[in-house]
Structure formats: C-alpha cells, structure tokens
Amino acid sequence: MPLGDDALVLSHRLGEWAGNAPVLEEEVALANIALDLLGQARILLSMAGDEDELAYLREERAFRNLQLVEQPNGDFAHTIARQLYFSTYQRLLHEALAAGDTPFAPLAAKAVKEVAYHQDHAEQWTLRLGDGTRESRARMSRATEALWRYTGEMFQPLDGLDLDWAGIRDAWTRSVSGVLEAATLALPEGPQSGAWRAGAGRDGLHTESFGRMLAEMQHLHRSHPGASW
Amino acid sequence: MATAAARQAAGTAPEGAAEAVHTAALEAVFDAAVAADERIEPRDWMPDAYRATLVRQIAQHAHSEIIGMQPEANWITRAPSLRRKAILMAKVQDEAGHGLYLYGAAETLGASRDDLLDKLHTGRQKYSSIFNYPTLTWADVGAIGWLVDGAAITNQVPLCRCSYGPYARAMVRVCKEESFHQRQGYELLLALSRGTDAQHAMAQDAIDRWWWPSLMMFGPPDGESPHSAQSTAWKIKRHSNDELRQRFVDICVPQAESLGLALPDPDLRWNEERGHHDFGAIDWTEFWEVLKGNGPCNDERISRRRRAHEEGAWVREAAAAHARKHTPGAAAGGHPPATDATHPTDPTDPTTSAESADGTAPSGAPAPAPAGSGKATA
C-alpha cells in the first residue's frame, strides 16, 4: 500500500502539468510518466483491496505515501528534482524487489523498465537545467535544496519488505550526487528530514497541501456514493 | 513523381523562355498530378497559394490539438475512477502527440513551429471554435469524446486522401487514435446514462450543451465558405461543409438512441425522400461571435497557452544553452533536445487496454520529425 500510494499521488501531481508544460515534447513525456505511475498504483492498490475505494474514500491520515511525492509541482525544476529523487529511489527499490521472492517481484520486474526511463528523463533534465543558463542553474539548485529534507523518509524500512535499506540509501546517494555533480550542482547538506520526522508520511502524517490535493481528486467520486463510472 | 515530370516539362521550354512560361509549365504538371490523384510531396513544385492554404490549415489543425488539451485536462485531477483517469490522461497525451505530427507536417512546407506557435499566441492564426466552450461537468469529457471527436473524424477521414502527402499520412495516424477516443467517449456516456438518475441527468445536460457547437465544427454553410471552391479543386477538401455535417447527423441519431440520450433539436426527424435526417437551424450568430473571439473561453484558452509558453521560456533557453555547450557545432536556437517521450509500452499492461497502448505508443514519435528538433536520445 505505501508503494501504491507513492505512485498514485505522484501520478496525480504530474497530471496537473497537462496543458502547462514548457514544450510540447514535455507534455507527452510528463503524461507518459504519470500514466506509468498510475498503472503501477492500480496494480498495487488492487493487491490491497478495491483500487477506487482506496484512492477515493480514504482520508489524508490513512494515506501512506512519502511526503516527497505529495509536494506541489512548483516550477519545472522543482518537478524535475522531485522526479530525480523519487525515480532513483524507485528504481533501486524495484530492482531489489524484482530480485526477491515477495508477491511484488513480478510487478517490480515490469515497473523497473518504466522507472529506468523516468530516471533517465529526470537525469537528462537535471543536466540541462543545472548546466544550462544562470537562471536555470539557480532554479535547479533551489529545487534540489528545497526538497532535500523529504528524502530521508525513503530509506525507512517498510513492513514486510526485507531489503538492504542501508545499501539502497548508499546507492541512492551515490547516484544522485553523481548526477548533481555532472550538472555542476552540489549535493544539499541539510538534514534529510523536516516536517515531523523522516518516515512521517508512512504513518499518515502529511504536509498541508496534501489535503487540498485529495479534496480535488476525491470530490466527484464522493459526491455520488455507490455510483459506477 | 511530379518533380521529375516537372523538370522534364520545364526542360522542353524554349531557350530563354520567360519566367511566366516556366511557371505555367510547372503549374500544368502540378494540375495534372492533382487530377491524377497523385500525392504532392514536400520537394515538389506547388503554387504559392496552395502552400499558403495548407500551412494555414495544418497549423490551425495543430493549434486545435494543443488548445483542445485544455478543456479535457480540466478534469484529469477530478476523474471519478482510476480507470477513467488513465484513459483521460492517455487521451490528452495523444493530443499533444497529434500536435507534434501536425506541426511536423506544416514544417515540410517551410513553416517553423516557433513561428506558428507565435501566430497562435498573438491571435493571427485560429483554432477550432469548439474549444472555446467550458467543460462544466465530468459528462462533458464524454460529450467531447463522442460528439467533438466524432465530428473531427467525419471531417478528417476524407483528409487521409488529401492531395498533400505529409498531411494525408499524418491524418491516417491521427484518425486511428481519434476513433479510439470517440468510442471511449461514447462508452463513458453509456456508463452515465445507465447509472444513477443524477449521472443520467449529467450526461443529458452535457449533450444539450455540446450538440449544437459540434455541428458548427463543420464550418459555415456552403454558400458562405470562401475557401471551399479552391480547396476542393486542389483536392485538399473532398466534401462540402454541409455534406459532412449531414453525414455526422445521420451517424449520431441512432447512436444517441442506443445511448438513451436525447439530441436537443425538436426539428430533428428522418426524411424518407432525402434518405437523411432533417435538422433544425444552427445559430450562426453564435458561431461567428465565438470565431471572432467572443465565446465563453476564448480569452482563457489563449491566456493559459501563452502563460505556459512564457513560463517555459527559461526551460527552453536552458536546453538550448546546454546543447550549445555539449554538442560541438550545434546550431543555436531550435527546440530543446527533449528526451524521446515514448518508451516501449507493454500491451499486456492492465492499466491500459491493448488498444490504448496501441494508441499512445506513437504519440511521442512524430513523423516526419521536425528539422532541428534534435531528438538525439531517440
């Protein structure tokens, strides 16, 4: 469920870009990533129950997604930084899951192909923005700094998943710092947790904008109890 | 083919012939190619007015795809089920892809995407007036799929045989995806129509609001359509506005019946003698007002498009600057080398049916690729 919520919430945020992207190719790319994530969310939530009931009828405190993925889109650099942090994590996680023998292994094996593309997309844009113009470098730098405090929670162990979390954390840090360095940016130095504590999102402790996001996402479904669509 | 023949024809002109004689020979070859239903290709000679007409029409078609994303994107974040949300996202993505194909087709005529977008943003080129109507309920998403995409398909299927090759080929791909969207729209309305009373009412209200604007998509009546005669002679246009509108009405009537929804026209009835449905008068005053910019959403649509473009300027500049630094001899300007937007889509993916996977896969791979778009990572 936490992994399904991550994919669901980030997919929703990316869907907010539709019609607003800086260039037509990015309309296609962001929608493509959003669709992949929504597909993953649907499979994961269906493993836990009814996908629509879980997506539309739970309240904020019952969602288990990372605070990182619920962060508002901000500017394009902000969206790319969020995607870089998350896709790198998701790829390492899915690689580990695909190699294991949990019920998630087949799903992870398929998702890892999609996520590799998401990660490549985010890395390419990090390089372009970091090593582009003065303005884009400043924006990319601000974005990586601003989101840094939400990165620690990714490495909190998840119930039922016996993975090498410390190893995932090391590999994540190596990968992200390599990309940032190539993009002429520094790895942020602050603490990797902020509101509440690292791992708060997994306990249903979210940031304020999340409730508003859910209000928009759920209002139509909730207005017609029991209806099918 | 036309080129080789044209060269030959030009070669037979007497030495020192005047430019006019030369042009007349080229024109004769062009006319013969069109008459023989041959395709005109980008390197073939063509009359300036033919080129200008096509650039205008293809660009406005591309603009319609881009602006048309807005009324539907308006509901992505509120879609009432995850399945519907996935379908809608895939559709809006397809529309961006169609915009890409069509700008690519316009570029084969010597236009540039940046210039065409600028003309859209400054109101010098138009887009389909239908997108100036607001999407007020979820059912509007279905009405757009069924009626608006249905009207677009009726208009566009004949364009698959249009005399200009790149446009005709783009239309083949676009029409395939559009008919898929149209079926999805119909299916969405069917679910509402068979749902609760509130859902049925929502669907009926959407049809009431979208029916007449959809009929206006075929353009003014034949008597008031200034470009029609020349476009028909050039085989860009194959049927008159009124013919296509009639065809659309005849298709929609039985579909509305099976949906269990009424079309909002008291004058609509079968005419045995004509073998067609008669229908009521269209409010052409409304049509011309919307066309002039006075529709419900004209300002909103253009402002939003302009804002997305302006707010994205720093991103495009960054991509261009990065490319200059890292690609030796890279030309300045042009589009940012966006990463290829598509990747293999697994047709067994349960999030999208096999058809939808088929529909979304080509979106990010516009053919022909615009020159200088630098899709280096394809």
Side-chain angles (χ1 to χ4, degrees):
Chain A
M1 188 118 90
L3 304 183
D5 285 351
D6 284 349
L8 177 72
V9 170
L10 185 54
S11 165
H12 185 96
R13 285 296 189 205
L14 292 172
E16 294 172 356
W17 270 104
N20 295 307
V23 60
L24 214 40
E25 283 82 353
E26 282 308 299
E27 293 284 0
V28 181
L30 295 173
N32 207 321
I33 296 168
L35 268 170
D36 285 343
L37 290 170
L38 184 53
Q40 294 168 15
R42 294 183 65 193
I43 297 173
L44 287 160
L45 293 180
S46 297
M47 289 168 80
D50 178 88
E51 60 176 39
D52 285 337
E53 228 174 277
L54 289 170
Y56 291 99
L57 299 177
R58 270 184 300 158
E59 295 193 358
E60 187 175 342
R61 290 282 283 112
F63 274 83
R64 293 286 176 264
N65 55 283
L66 300 167
Q67 291 184 348
L68 175 69
V69 296
E70 76 202 28
Q71 295 310 306
N73 288 334
D75 66 5
F76 189 69
H78 210 77
T79 290
I80 291 298
R82 187 183 62 196
Q83 203 63 44
L84 176 73
Y85 289 163
F86 182 72
S87 298
T88 306
Y89 159 74
Q90 217 192 3
R91 182 177 186 170
L92 293 164
L93 184 67
H94 282 312
E95 277 173 357
L97 286 172
D101 56 1
T102 63
F104 302 107
L107 162 70
K110 178 176 128 36
V112 90
K113 281 182 243 163
E114 296 171 350
V115 173
Y117 158 79
H118 306 169
Q119 188 187 357
D120 181 56
H121 175 263
E123 289 182 355
Q124 296 296 326
W125 272 111
T126 303
L127 294 176
R128 282 187 206 111
L129 299 181
D131 189 15
T133 61
R134 263 172 77 137
E135 183 186 4
S136 71
R137 184 172 186 279
R139 284 178 184 255
M140 195 64 216
S141 174
R142 266 204 301 278
T144 51
E145 295 277 352
L147 292 167
W148 184 251
R149 67 194 180 109
Y150 300 108
T151 54
E153 58 180 338
M154 296 189 286
F155 313 110
Q156 301 298 307
L158 284 168
D159 282 348
L161 296 181
D162 181 23
L163 301 173
D164 174 13
W165 293 98
I168 290 176
R169 181 176 205 133
D170 288 346
W172 184 90
T173 308
R174 268 197 310 279
S175 175
V176 167
S177 57
V179 174
L180 292 183
E181 193 186 332
T184 75
L185 299 167
L187 194 71
E189 282 172 358
Q192 281 177 283
S193 68
W196 308 102
R197 62 183 184 283
R202 299 293 189 214
D203 295 331
L205 295 170
H206 295 281
T207 52
E208 283 189 344
S209 67
F210 184 55
R212 205 163 284 107
M213 192 207 99
L214 283 187
E216 182 173 349
M217 184 174 106
Q218 297 181 335
H219 98 272
L220 178 59
H221 186 97
R222 284 180 181 271
S223 305
H224 296 262
S228 50
W229 301 92
Chain B
M1 240 182 305
T3 310
R7 279 206 206 93
Q8 206 179 9
T12 59
E15 195 139 335
E19 184 80 1
V21 176
H22 185 67
T23 305
L26 291 168
E27 236 161 34
V29 172
F30 172 85
D31 290 343
V34 170
D37 272 334
E38 281 176 29
R39 288 279 165 81
I40 306 301
E41 296 299 336
R43 300 170 72 132
D44 292 341
W45 184 89
M46 63 189 84
D48 290 343
Y50 176 84
R51 187 184 297 274
T53 296
L54 275 168
V55 168
R56 192 191 69 236
Q57 183 172 337
I58 299 173
Q60 295 187 169
H61 195 158
H63 299 336
S64 302
E65 296 283 356
I66 301 314
I67 296 288
M69 293 166 70
Q70 289 185 31
E72 295 181 290
N74 185 35
W75 280 92
I76 285 180
T77 52
R78 293 177 288 168
S81 76
L82 297 186
R83 173 171 166 264
R84 291 292 177 198
K85 189 172 183 166
I87 291 172
L88 184 56
M89 269 187 187
K91 181 180 179 188
V92 173
Q93 182 194 26
D94 279 351
E95 279 156 8
H98 295 169
L100 282 168
Y101 304 153
L102 287 162
Y103 286 120
E107 288 188 321
T108 65
L109 291 159
S112 86
R113 195 213 293 189
D114 290 341
D115 180 50
L116 297 176
L117 279 173
D118 190 54
K119 289 195 166 95
L120 169 65
H121 297 153
T122 52
R124 285 175 294 155
Q125 283 182 343
K126 297 196 181 306
Y127 54 88
S128 178
S129 58
I130 192 80
F131 299 120
N132 292 314
Y133 290 87
T135 46
L136 302 178
T137 72
W138 169 249
D140 290 25
V141 171
I144 289 182
W146 177 46
L147 293 174
V148 175
D149 294 343
I153 294 163
T154 309
N155 261 329
Q156 289 167 13
V157 165
L159 287 172
C160 297
R161 295 183 292 124
C162 137
S163 59
Y164 187 59
Y167 191 28
R169 287 189 289 274
M171 281 300 97
V172 172
R173 304 182 66 164
V174 169
C175 283
K176 257 189 226 166
E177 295 179 2
E178 292 289 4
S179 25
F180 184 58
H181 299 158
Q182 199 232 357
R183 286 204 303 279
Q184 288 172 328
Y186 178 88
E187 196 253 324
L188 190 163
L189 289 173
L190 191 64
L192 295 180
S193 176
R194 291 179 176 171
T196 64
D197 290 351
Q199 286 178 305
H200 184 93
M202 190 194 281
Q204 184 61 57
D205 169 63
I207 301 308
D208 292 348
R209 284 181 288 109
W210 288 92
W211 172 247
W212 291 107
S214 300
L215 293 190
M216 295 177 197
M217 285 176 69
F218 296 93
D222 291 350
E224 296 169 43
S225 181
H227 302 295
S228 284
Q230 184 59 71
S231 288
T232 306
W234 279 331
K235 293 191 180 170
I236 295 173
K237 205 176 166 87
R238 297 270 179 169
H239 308 280
S240 81
N241 294 352
D242 288 333
E243 273 169 34
L244 291 169
R245 186 163 18 238
Q246 180 70 61
R247 185 179 297 180
F248 178 67
V249 171
D250 290 339
I251 291 170
C252 286
V253 170
Q255 291 182 351
E257 275 170 26
S258 50
L259 276 173
L261 296 170
L263 295 172
D265 179 0
D267 298 327
L268 186 67
R269 62 181 57 87
W270 176 250
N271 181 327
E272 190 66 54
E273 208 170 303
R274 292 201 306 127
H276 289 293
H277 292 87
D278 290 337
F279 54 97
I282 290 172
D283 181 355
W284 292 111
T285 314
E286 176 179 321
F287 173 79
W288 293 113
E289 281 301 307
V290 176
L291 211 65
K292 271 191 294 185
N294 301 325
C297 300
N298 297 59
D299 286 345
E300 246 174 289
R301 299 290 186 237
I302 282 296
S303 308
R304 169 126 178 237
R305 181 84 264 292
R306 229 188 265 145
R307 195 174 67 231
H309 191 75
E310 282 162 10
E311 287 177 357
W314 69 271
V315 177
R316 297 189 298 275
E317 281 155 19
H322 183 83
R324 275 195 302 275
K325 285 188 221 177
H326 295 275
T327 322
H335 298 294
T339 47
D340 191 346
T342 54
H343 57 112
T345 309
D346 183 349
T348 61
D349 183 346
T351 61
T352 51
S353 69
E355 278 181 283
S356 140
D358 177 52
T360 53
S363 303
S373 71
K375 296 183 84 68
T377 56

